[in-house]
């Protein structure tokens, strides 16, 4: 039971004792609110950031056939990845490898708007029909578009 201040309790008790009399006079008409505009009439917000198609085209250009160019490594890679490469001199953090692959393929791009990121599986092809994969991530709001992270498969 919730305790109420004495004055409020007394007022509620007095009001509850009043008889309820139906009104013989109709209440004045209150105009109904105007109907809300249909959702289609409201312009939809344009999603900000790169699309899956833009990210896919970027990754194909960025990785090319054998790996990113020096220009792309300087201008289209996050600062975190650039620093990771400086620390890891034994392998290429953008290719998850020690050597240059014979060919590179980019898989379908997935975009998670809520997370603000898009990603694709990158497949590197090596001699003897050997392949390896890793995942390249792109922030949707990066300007210019750039690789934000790379996660090696194993």
């Amino acid at each position: 039971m919730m305790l109420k201040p004495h004055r409020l309790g007394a007022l509620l008790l007095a009001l509850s004792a009043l008889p309820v009399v139906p009104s013989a006079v109709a209440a004045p008409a209150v105009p109904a609110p105007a109907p809300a505009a249909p959702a289609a009439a409201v312009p939809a917000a344009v999603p900000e950031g790169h699309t899956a198609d833009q990210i896919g085209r970027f990754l194909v250009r960025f990785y090319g056939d054998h790996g990113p160019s020096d220009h792309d490594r300087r201008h289209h890679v996050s600062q975190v990845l650039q620093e990771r490469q400086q620390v890891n001199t034994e392998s290429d953090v953008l290719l998850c490898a020690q050597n240059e692959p014979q060919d590179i393929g980019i898989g379908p791009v997935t975009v998670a708007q809520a997370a603000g990121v898009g990603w694709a599986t990158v497949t590197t092809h090596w001699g003897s029909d050997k392949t390896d994969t890793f995942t390249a991530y792109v922030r949707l709001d990066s300007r210019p578009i750039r690789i934000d992270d790379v996660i090696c498969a194993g």
Side-chain angles (χ1 to χ4, degrees):
M1 179 173 154
M2 187 171 155
L3 299 176
K4 295 183 176 27
H6 177 68
R7 290 184 198 150
L8 181 57
L11 176 63
L12 290 174
L13 183 59
L15 288 175
S16 66
L18 293 175
V20 176
V21 179
S23 174
V25 179
V30 177
V42 177
V46 176
E48 292 194 27
H50 310 297
T51 65
D53 183 57
Q54 290 169 330
I55 293 170
R57 285 186 281 125
F58 165 72
L59 290 173
V60 166
R61 186 197 56 74
F62 179 85
Y63 279 106
D65 292 329
H66 304 289
S69 68
D70 288 338
H71 176 269
D72 283 336
R73 289 175 183 276
R74 282 190 312 273
H75 299 288
H76 296 284
V77 176
S78 70
Q79 186 64 37
V80 171
L81 277 176
Q82 289 179 15
E83 291 170 3
R84 191 183 303 164
Q85 184 62 67
Q86 288 176 350
V87 172
N88 188 352
T89 58
E90 297 168 7
S91 68
D92 188 336
V93 299
L94 296 174
L95 293 170
C96 296
Q98 295 176 339
N99 301 316
E100 182 180 289
Q102 292 178 347
D103 194 25
I104 299 176
I106 307 297
V109 175
T110 301
V111 172
Q113 289 286 342
V117 69
W119 65 90
T121 300
V122 179
T123 303
T124 51
H125 300 270
W126 306 91
S128 304
D129 295 328
K130 186 177 177 184
T131 61
D132 200 2
T133 61
F134 59 90
T135 306
Y137 294 87
V138 174
R139 285 182 42 151
L140 300 182
D141 63 351
S142 62
R143 297 286 184 250
I145 189 169
R146 65 179 168 264
I147 302 288
D148 192 55
D149 200 4
V150 172
I151 304 297
C152 300

